[in-house]
Amino acid sequence: MRSAEEVIDDFDITKTTGRKKVQLIKWFQKHPGARFDVVEVYAALGEELDVGQKQIRNYLNDLADEDVLQRHGEKRIAYQLADDIVIPARYQVLAVLSHLGEIFSIERWGIAGFLTILTVIWAALTFPFWFMWGTLVVYPTNSYGPITRPEFLRMAISMTLWLVVFILGTTVLYRIRRWYRTIQSK
């Protein structure tokens, strides 16, 4: 396992080729696990590197030959950082947050879809309280630590009431959305 910083330090940045390869590596580490073909890399870095697609392809092939990048595909080759290169944690965290942002994106799902996702998450959070209350009913103990059986029941009931509110809200929003689409299509 090599860190991305070690890989970058191996290149001679006093030469133009070394500087441009370092820029490519830094760009790839900002997109961990993602694959890009030459056209995508050129669209993102072409002006910054001040080279054409053919030269970017040459740089990418050189980096792949040096085991910095991996090639995927035969006709349309995509490149990604090699598996043995460990990128800094901040880029990994940013990638995870961007993926989570896409999951909870209102633009992607619409308000009704977003509320549906929240409803499912709320249902998943409600279940453990009912489970914990049920185990306290079955077993002879009256509490888990400082939380007693009535407190679990109170929390489970309140979370279930909010779950019902979420379900009703989601249903109403979907009906309004369907009604609006039928009006738009006429």
Side-chain angles (χ1 to χ4, degrees):
M1 299 300 270
R2 308 176 283 172
S3 74
E5 297 303 320
E6 290 173 1
V7 172
I8 288 171
D9 290 340
D10 290 342
F11 289 99
D12 183 12
I13 59 171
T14 60
K15 297 181 181 176
T16 306
T17 303
R19 275 193 308 271
K20 292 185 180 184
K21 286 181 181 179
V22 166
Q23 282 180 291
L24 282 167
I25 295 169
K26 286 182 178 180
W27 185 77
F28 270 99
Q29 79 176 356
K30 290 179 184 176
H31 305 90
R35 297 178 182 175
F36 299 98
D37 65 358
V38 175
V39 175
E40 293 169 320
V41 175
Y42 177 73
L45 292 175
E47 290 181 21
E48 185 179 332
L49 294 176
D50 196 30
V51 293
Q53 274 187 356
K54 188 171 183 167
Q55 189 60 42
I56 286 180
R57 179 179 288 114
N58 292 340
Y59 288 143
L60 293 174
N61 285 331
D62 288 347
L63 288 171
D65 292 341
E66 295 167 3
D67 293 326
V68 175
L69 298 179
Q70 293 176 333
R71 291 185 186 102
H72 298 279
E74 292 179 21
K75 291 184 179 180
R76 186 176 176 185
I77 299 173
Y79 300 89
Q80 78 178 58
L81 274 179
D83 290 335
D84 66 331
I85 296 177
V86 179
I87 60 170
R90 69 175 178 258
Y91 295 120
Q92 294 175 4
V93 168
L94 288 174
V96 167
L97 291 176
S98 70
H99 287 297
L100 287 176
E102 286 301 315
I103 290 173
F104 296 110
S105 172
I106 294 177
E107 293 84 25
R108 179 178 182 186
W109 300 105
I111 191 72
F114 177 73
L115 193 56
T116 301
I117 292 170
L118 288 181
T119 303
V120 169
I121 292 171
W122 194 263
L125 293 174
T126 301
F127 175 73
F129 288 97
W130 283 110
F131 179 77
M132 297 298 278
W133 175 77
T135 57
L136 285 175
V137 168
V138 173
Y139 293 114
T141 176
N142 190 32
S143 68
Y144 286 122
I147 305 173
T148 63
R149 186 184 326 155
E151 291 170 340
F152 272 117
L153 180 62
R154 188 179 322 117
M155 191 64 160
I157 290 172
S158 65
M159 290 188 74
T160 303
L161 289 174
W162 277 109
L163 180 62
V164 169
V165 169
F166 278 145
I167 290 171
L168 291 174
T170 302
T171 304
V172 167
L173 280 175
Y174 268 118
R175 302 263 174 167
I176 291 171
R177 183 175 166 209
R178 192 178 331 162
W179 173 75
Y180 182 71
R181 282 189 177 174
T182 57
I183 289 176
Q184 266 188 334
S185 65
K186 290 182 183 181

PDB file of all heavy atoms in Angstrom, residues 31-55:
ATOM      1  N   HIS A  31     -11.525  12.136  -6.697  1.00  0.00           N
ATOM      2  CA  HIS A  31     -12.657  11.313  -7.146  1.00  0.00           C
ATOM      3  C   HIS A  31     -12.345   9.846  -6.875  1.00  0.00           C
ATOM      4  O   HIS A  31     -12.166   9.063  -7.806  1.00  0.00           O
ATOM      5  CB  HIS A  31     -12.910  11.523  -8.640  1.00  0.00           C
ATOM      6  CG  HIS A  31     -13.115  12.954  -9.014  1.00  0.00           C
ATOM      7  ND1 HIS A  31     -12.078  13.778  -9.366  1.00  0.00           N
ATOM      8  CD2 HIS A  31     -14.237  13.711  -9.059  1.00  0.00           C
ATOM      9  CE1 HIS A  31     -12.560  14.977  -9.634  1.00  0.00           C
ATOM     10  NE2 HIS A  31     -13.863  14.965  -9.449  1.00  0.00           N
ATOM     11  N   PRO A  32     -12.281   9.452  -5.606  1.00  0.00           N
ATOM     12  CA  PRO A  32     -11.862   8.085  -5.280  1.00  0.00           C
ATOM     13  C   PRO A  32     -12.840   7.041  -5.803  1.00  0.00           C
ATOM     14  O   PRO A  32     -14.051   7.188  -5.703  1.00  0.00           O
ATOM     15  CB  PRO A  32     -11.803   8.072  -3.754  1.00  0.00           C
ATOM     16  CG  PRO A  32     -12.680   9.185  -3.325  1.00  0.00           C
ATOM     17  CD  PRO A  32     -12.630  10.204  -4.408  1.00  0.00           C
ATOM     18  N   GLY A  33     -12.284   6.005  -6.410  1.00  0.00           N
ATOM     19  CA  GLY A  33     -13.091   4.889  -6.886  1.00  0.00           C
ATOM     20  C   GLY A  33     -13.796   5.147  -8.197  1.00  0.00           C
ATOM     21  O   GLY A  33     -14.404   4.251  -8.762  1.00  0.00           O
ATOM     22  N   ALA A  34     -13.735   6.368  -8.706  1.00  0.00           N
ATOM     23  CA  ALA A  34     -14.431   6.696  -9.950  1.00  0.00           C
ATOM     24  C   ALA A  34     -13.521   6.418 -11.146  1.00  0.00           C
ATOM     25  O   ALA A  34     -12.307   6.550 -11.072  1.00  0.00           O
ATOM     26  CB  ALA A  34     -14.866   8.153  -9.949  1.00  0.00           C
ATOM     27  N   ARG A  35     -14.171   6.012 -12.238  1.00  0.00           N
ATOM     28  CA  ARG A  35     -13.440   5.749 -13.483  1.00  0.00           C
ATOM     29  C   ARG A  35     -13.760   6.840 -14.488  1.00  0.00           C
ATOM     30  O   ARG A  35     -14.908   7.261 -14.616  1.00  0.00           O
ATOM     31  CB  ARG A  35     -13.862   4.403 -14.067  1.00  0.00           C
ATOM     32  CG  ARG A  35     -13.534   3.239 -13.190  1.00  0.00           C
ATOM     33  CD  ARG A  35     -14.036   1.965 -13.812  1.00  0.00           C
ATOM     34  NE  ARG A  35     -13.763   0.844 -12.932  1.00  0.00           N
ATOM     35  CZ  ARG A  35     -14.169  -0.388 -13.165  1.00  0.00           C
ATOM     36  NH1 ARG A  35     -14.877  -0.665 -14.237  1.00  0.00           N
ATOM     37  NH2 ARG A  35     -13.878  -1.350 -12.316  1.00  0.00           N
ATOM     38  N   PHE A  36     -12.733   7.271 -15.208  1.00  0.00           N
ATOM     39  CA  PHE A  36     -12.897   8.331 -16.196  1.00  0.00           C
ATOM     40  C   PHE A  36     -12.181   7.940 -17.470  1.00  0.00           C
ATOM     41  O   PHE A  36     -11.075   7.400 -17.427  1.00  0.00           O
ATOM     42  CB  PHE A  36     -12.327   9.653 -15.678  1.00  0.00           C
ATOM     43  CG  PHE A  36     -12.991  10.146 -14.431  1.00  0.00           C
ATOM     44  CD1 PHE A  36     -12.425   9.911 -13.192  1.00  0.00           C
ATOM     45  CD2 PHE A  36     -14.187  10.835 -14.496  1.00  0.00           C
ATOM     46  CE1 PHE A  36     -13.033  10.354 -12.039  1.00  0.00           C
ATOM     47  CE2 PHE A  36     -14.808  11.282 -13.346  1.00  0.00           C
ATOM     48  CZ  PHE A  36     -14.233  11.048 -12.115  1.00  0.00           C
ATOM     49  N   ASP A  37     -12.812   8.253 -18.605  1.00  0.00           N
ATOM     50  CA  ASP A  37     -12.123   8.030 -19.866  1.00  0.00           C
ATOM     51  C   ASP A  37     -11.394   9.319 -20.261  1.00  0.00           C
ATOM     52  O   ASP A  37     -11.459  10.328 -19.567  1.00  0.00           O
ATOM     53  CB  ASP A  37     -13.088   7.552 -20.951  1.00  0.00           C
ATOM     54  CG  ASP A  37     -14.127   8.586 -21.333  1.00  0.00           C
ATOM     55  OD1 ASP A  37     -14.140   9.675 -20.734  1.00  0.00           O
ATOM     56  OD2 ASP A  37     -14.928   8.301 -22.232  1.00  0.00           O
ATOM     57  N   VAL A  38     -10.703   9.265 -21.388  1.00  0.00           N
ATOM     58  CA  VAL A  38      -9.868  10.388 -21.807  1.00  0.00           C
ATOM     59  C   VAL A  38     -10.705  11.643 -22.026  1.00  0.00           C
ATOM     60  O   VAL A  38     -10.306  12.752 -21.645  1.00  0.00           O
ATOM     61  CB  VAL A  38      -9.092  10.015 -23.091  1.00  0.00           C
ATOM     62  CG1 VAL A  38      -8.306  11.201 -23.612  1.00  0.00           C
ATOM     63  CG2 VAL A  38      -8.169   8.852 -22.826  1.00  0.00           C
ATOM     64  N   VAL A  39     -11.891  11.487 -22.605  1.00  0.00           N
ATOM     65  CA  VAL A  39     -12.745  12.643 -22.893  1.00  0.00           C
ATOM     66  C   VAL A  39     -13.173  13.336 -21.599  1.00  0.00           C
ATOM     67  O   VAL A  39     -13.164  14.571 -21.513  1.00  0.00           O
ATOM     68  CB  VAL A  39     -13.984  12.193 -23.714  1.00  0.00           C
ATOM     69  CG1 VAL A  39     -14.938  13.350 -23.927  1.00  0.00           C
ATOM     70  CG2 VAL A  39     -13.549  11.598 -25.031  1.00  0.00           C
ATOM     71  N   GLU A  40     -13.522  12.566 -20.584  1.00  0.00           N
ATOM     72  CA  GLU A  40     -13.934  13.156 -19.310  1.00  0.00           C
ATOM     73  C   GLU A  40     -12.769  13.865 -18.620  1.00  0.00           C
ATOM     74  O   GLU A  40     -12.942  14.946 -18.049  1.00  0.00           O
ATOM     75  CB  GLU A  40     -14.514  12.078 -18.392  1.00  0.00           C
ATOM     76  CG  GLU A  40     -15.818  11.497 -18.896  1.00  0.00           C
ATOM     77  CD  GLU A  40     -16.250  10.259 -18.135  1.00  0.00           C
ATOM     78  OE1 GLU A  40     -15.380   9.421 -17.800  1.00  0.00           O
ATOM     79  OE2 GLU A  40     -17.456  10.130 -17.891  1.00  0.00           O
ATOM     80  N   VAL A  41     -11.598  13.256 -18.674  1.00  0.00           N
ATOM     81  CA  VAL A  41     -10.421  13.890 -18.066  1.00  0.00           C
ATOM     82  C   VAL A  41     -10.080  15.169 -18.835  1.00  0.00           C
ATOM     83  O   VAL A  41      -9.775  16.202 -18.232  1.00  0.00           O
ATOM     84  CB  VAL A  41      -9.221  12.924 -18.040  1.00  0.00           C
ATOM     85  CG1 VAL A  41      -7.966  13.619 -17.535  1.00  0.00           C
ATOM     86  CG2 VAL A  41      -9.532  11.708 -17.182  1.00  0.00           C
ATOM     87  N   TYR A  42     -10.181  15.106 -20.155  1.00  0.00           N
ATOM     88  CA  TYR A  42      -9.897  16.306 -20.961  1.00  0.00           C
ATOM     89  C   TYR A  42     -10.903  17.416 -20.661  1.00  0.00           C
ATOM     90  O   TYR A  42     -10.525  18.585 -20.539  1.00  0.00           O
ATOM     91  CB  TYR A  42      -9.925  15.958 -22.450  1.00  0.00           C
ATOM     92  CG  TYR A  42      -9.724  17.159 -23.332  1.00  0.00           C
ATOM     93  CD1 TYR A  42      -8.479  17.756 -23.447  1.00  0.00           C
ATOM     94  CD2 TYR A  42     -10.791  17.720 -24.029  1.00  0.00           C
ATOM     95  CE1 TYR A  42      -8.295  18.874 -24.246  1.00  0.00           C
ATOM     96  CE2 TYR A  42     -10.620  18.830 -24.822  1.00  0.00           C
ATOM     97  CZ  TYR A  42      -9.372  19.409 -24.926  1.00  0.00           C
ATOM     98  OH  TYR A  42      -9.191  20.519 -25.707  1.00  0.00           O
ATOM     99  N   ALA A  43     -12.180  17.054 -20.507  1.00  0.00           N
ATOM    100  CA  ALA A  43     -13.194  18.072 -20.205  1.00  0.00           C
ATOM    101  C   ALA A  43     -12.922  18.724 -18.850  1.00  0.00           C
ATOM    102  O   ALA A  43     -13.170  19.922 -18.671  1.00  0.00           O
ATOM    103  CB  ALA A  43     -14.585  17.442 -20.220  1.00  0.00           C
ATOM    104  N   ALA A  44     -12.417  17.964 -17.902  1.00  0.00           N
ATOM    105  CA  ALA A  44     -12.171  18.498 -16.567  1.00  0.00           C
ATOM    106  C   ALA A  44     -10.837  19.235 -16.461  1.00  0.00           C
ATOM    107  O   ALA A  44     -10.742  20.245 -15.768  1.00  0.00           O
ATOM    108  CB  ALA A  44     -12.215  17.369 -15.538  1.00  0.00           C
ATOM    109  N   LEU A  45      -9.807  18.723 -17.139  1.00  0.00           N
ATOM    110  CA  LEU A  45      -8.457  19.262 -16.932  1.00  0.00           C
ATOM    111  C   LEU A  45      -7.775  19.785 -18.197  1.00  0.00           C
ATOM    112  O   LEU A  45      -6.628  20.224 -18.119  1.00  0.00           O
ATOM    113  CB  LEU A  45      -7.561  18.178 -16.327  1.00  0.00           C
ATOM    114  CG  LEU A  45      -7.872  17.739 -14.906  1.00  0.00           C
ATOM    115  CD1 LEU A  45      -6.988  16.579 -14.507  1.00  0.00           C
ATOM    116  CD2 LEU A  45      -7.680  18.888 -13.954  1.00  0.00           C
ATOM    117  N   GLY A  46      -8.433  19.715 -19.332  1.00  0.00           N
ATOM    118  CA  GLY A  46      -7.787  20.102 -20.582  1.00  0.00           C
ATOM    119  C   GLY A  46      -7.232  21.504 -20.568  1.00  0.00           C
ATOM    120  O   GLY A  46      -6.079  21.743 -20.954  1.00  0.00           O
ATOM    121  N   GLU A  47      -8.021  22.467 -20.135  1.00  0.00           N
ATOM    122  CA  GLU A  47      -7.553  23.859 -20.101  1.00  0.00           C
ATOM    123  C   GLU A  47      -6.488  24.072 -19.038  1.00  0.00           C
ATOM    124  O   GLU A  47      -5.529  24.805 -19.246  1.00  0.00           O
ATOM    125  CB  GLU A  47      -8.732  24.794 -19.850  1.00  0.00           C
ATOM    126  CG  GLU A  47      -9.690  24.892 -21.006  1.00  0.00           C
ATOM    127  CD  GLU A  47     -10.835  25.853 -20.732  1.00  0.00           C
ATOM    128  OE1 GLU A  47     -10.679  26.720 -19.845  1.00  0.00           O
ATOM    129  OE2 GLU A  47     -11.868  25.723 -21.398  1.00  0.00           O
ATOM    130  N   GLU A  48      -6.672  23.419 -17.901  1.00  0.00           N
ATOM    131  CA  GLU A  48      -5.708  23.585 -16.812  1.00  0.00           C
ATOM    132  C   GLU A  48      -4.341  23.013 -17.190  1.00  0.00           C
ATOM    133  O   GLU A  48      -3.303  23.594 -16.877  1.00  0.00           O
ATOM    134  CB  GLU A  48      -6.253  22.892 -15.560  1.00  0.00           C
ATOM    135  CG  GLU A  48      -5.414  23.089 -14.328  1.00  0.00           C
ATOM    136  CD  GLU A  48      -6.016  22.408 -13.107  1.00  0.00           C
ATOM    137  OE1 GLU A  48      -7.239  22.256 -13.052  1.00  0.00           O
ATOM    138  OE2 GLU A  48      -5.229  22.029 -12.233  1.00  0.00           O
ATOM    139  N   LEU A  49      -4.347  21.863 -17.862  1.00  0.00           N
ATOM    140  CA  LEU A  49      -3.080  21.251 -18.280  1.00  0.00           C
ATOM    141  C   LEU A  49      -2.540  21.880 -19.549  1.00  0.00           C
ATOM    142  O   LEU A  49      -1.357  21.734 -19.869  1.00  0.00           O
ATOM    143  CB  LEU A  49      -3.275  19.746 -18.501  1.00  0.00           C
ATOM    144  CG  LEU A  49      -3.594  18.907 -17.264  1.00  0.00           C
ATOM    145  CD1 LEU A  49      -3.860  17.466 -17.669  1.00  0.00           C
ATOM    146  CD2 LEU A  49      -2.468  18.975 -16.263  1.00  0.00           C
ATOM    147  N   ASP A  50      -3.400  22.553 -20.297  1.00  0.00           N
ATOM    148  CA  ASP A  50      -3.031  23.215 -21.547  1.00  0.00           C
ATOM    149  C   ASP A  50      -2.448  22.231 -22.567  1.00  0.00           C
ATOM    150  O   ASP A  50      -1.417  22.485 -23.184  1.00  0.00           O
ATOM    151  CB  ASP A  50      -2.043  24.356 -21.276  1.00  0.00           C
ATOM    152  CG  ASP A  50      -1.935  25.303 -22.459  1.00  0.00           C
ATOM    153  OD1 ASP A  50      -2.937  25.455 -23.187  1.00  0.00           O
ATOM    154  OD2 ASP A  50      -0.846  25.875 -22.667  1.00  0.00           O
ATOM    155  N   VAL A  51      -3.119  21.066 -22.674  1.00  0.00           N
ATOM    156  CA  VAL A  51      -2.738  20.065 -23.669  1.00  0.00           C
ATOM    157  C   VAL A  51      -4.010  19.512 -24.304  1.00  0.00           C
ATOM    158  O   VAL A  51      -5.115  19.713 -23.805  1.00  0.00           O
ATOM    159  CB  VAL A  51      -1.931  18.905 -23.039  1.00  0.00           C
ATOM    160  CG1 VAL A  51      -0.593  19.382 -22.546  1.00  0.00           C
ATOM    161  CG2 VAL A  51      -2.693  18.240 -21.922  1.00  0.00           C
ATOM    162  N   GLY A  52      -3.847  18.772 -25.398  1.00  0.00           N
ATOM    163  CA  GLY A  52      -4.983  18.180 -26.087  1.00  0.00           C
ATOM    164  C   GLY A  52      -5.302  16.787 -25.566  1.00  0.00           C
ATOM    165  O   GLY A  52      -4.630  16.253 -24.681  1.00  0.00           O
ATOM    166  N   GLN A  53      -6.333  16.210 -26.185  1.00  0.00           N
ATOM    167  CA  GLN A  53      -6.772  14.876 -25.764  1.00  0.00           C
ATOM    168  C   GLN A  53      -5.691  13.827 -25.971  1.00  0.00           C
ATOM    169  O   GLN A  53      -5.517  12.936 -25.143  1.00  0.00           O
ATOM    170  CB  GLN A  53      -8.022  14.459 -26.550  1.00  0.00           C
ATOM    171  CG  GLN A  53      -9.296  14.923 -25.953  1.00  0.00           C
ATOM    172  CD  GLN A  53     -10.491  14.324 -26.685  1.00  0.00           C
ATOM    173  OE1 GLN A  53     -10.346  13.626 -27.677  1.00  0.00           O
ATOM    174  NE2 GLN A  53     -11.673  14.606 -26.173  1.00  0.00           N
ATOM    175  N   LYS A  54      -4.987  13.927 -27.076  1.00  0.00           N
ATOM    176  CA  LYS A  54      -3.961  12.919 -27.362  1.00  0.00           C
ATOM    177  C   LYS A  54      -2.863  12.936 -26.304  1.00  0.00           C
ATOM    178  O   LYS A  54      -2.419  11.881 -25.848  1.00  0.00           O
ATOM    179  CB  LYS A  54      -3.385  13.146 -28.749  1.00  0.00           C
ATOM    180  CG  LYS A  54      -2.463  12.055 -29.193  1.00  0.00           C
ATOM    181  CD  LYS A  54      -2.088  12.189 -30.643  1.00  0.00           C
ATOM    182  CE  LYS A  54      -1.224  11.011 -31.021  1.00  0.00           C
ATOM    183  NZ  LYS A  54      -1.048  10.862 -32.435  1.00  0.00           N
ATOM    184  N   GLN A  55      -2.446  14.126 -25.897  1.00  0.00           N
ATOM    185  CA  GLN A  55      -1.401  14.224 -24.878  1.00  0.00           C
ATOM    186  C   GLN A  55      -1.916  13.742 -23.523  1.00  0.00           C
ATOM    187  O   GLN A  55      -1.193  13.081 -22.780  1.00  0.00           O
ATOM    188  CB  GLN A  55      -0.865  15.657 -24.771  1.00  0.00           C
ATOM    189  CG  GLN A  55       0.351  15.784 -23.888  1.00  0.00           C
ATOM    190  CD  GLN A  55       1.525  14.939 -24.370  1.00  0.00           C
ATOM    191  OE1 GLN A  55       1.812  14.858 -25.556  1.00  0.00           O
ATOM    192  NE2 GLN A  55       2.196  14.285 -23.434  1.00  0.00           N
TER     193      GLN A  55
END
